[in-house]
Amino acid sequence: MPIAVFLLALAAPVFAGLSEGWFGLAPCELCLWQRAPYWLAAGLALPAALLPRARPWLLLGAALAAAASALIGAFHMGVEFKWWPSPLAGCATPQAAIGQTIEELMRSLAPTPTKPCDEPAFLIPGLPLSMAAMNTIYGLALAALALRGRRPA
């Protein structure tokens, strides 16, 4: 079970990164935040396969990390539905103020291209699940799998 958790935890951020090139999906700042906990989950699941005595605790940590990504995804869904604004500055579209010079406008732009967090990215046309929604479901499922793997075989 730990190897499955390890591989599935790695698959999420790798697929998200590849989807940028394959499907032309630009990530926003919250999208990028959702990826980090999966790296932690993978980093905890791999030693769980090698250390049976520590397995329950390592898989608990992996489950919590996957759940953290799901929570960020759920928060991101709220931003997409405009239930609340994102607190991250990188999630907002830069706004030009009246009387602002070109230099001031250029300084207000993010150093790397981003998209606003309230514009959902859809992977499957016609399926009303954004990438944030799919991540929420995936993160919860991975957390459940990791928790199930804590039980002795």
Side-chain angles (χ1 to χ4, degrees):
M1 188 73 68
I3 294 298
V5 173
F6 168 73
L7 292 173
L8 291 169
L10 276 183
V14 168
F15 177 77
L18 290 173
S19 70
E20 293 172 26
W22 289 344
F23 308 112
L25 298 176
C28 70
E29 196 166 342
L30 280 172
C31 294
L32 297 174
W33 277 42
Q34 291 172 72
R35 298 176 191 182
Y38 287 117
W39 295 115
L40 177 60
L44 292 169
L46 186 59
L50 305 171
L51 305 168
R53 295 182 76 191
R55 181 173 298 148
W57 297 106
L58 291 168
L59 286 179
L60 176 62
L64 292 172
S69 182
L71 284 173
I72 296 168
F75 178 80
H76 190 180
M77 285 173 34
V79 171
E80 289 176 345
F81 284 115
K82 297 177 180 41
W83 293 337
W84 48 74
S86 172
L88 303 176
C91 284
T93 305
Q95 302 293 320
I98 294 176
Q100 194 173 29
T101 67
I102 297 294
E103 290 80 23
E104 291 169 331
L105 178 61
M106 295 303 287
R107 279 195 303 272
S108 74
L109 296 175
T112 57
T114 60
K115 74 174 205 58
C117 296
D118 61 356
E119 291 179 9
F122 295 99
L123 182 63
I124 304 168
L127 184 66
L129 284 176
S130 67
M131 288 288 280
M134 287 192 274
N135 178 70
T136 301
I137 295 166
Y138 190 87
L140 290 174
L142 183 59
L145 180 69
L147 289 174
R148 185 170 179 249
R150 294 183 72 223
R151 289 189 250 145

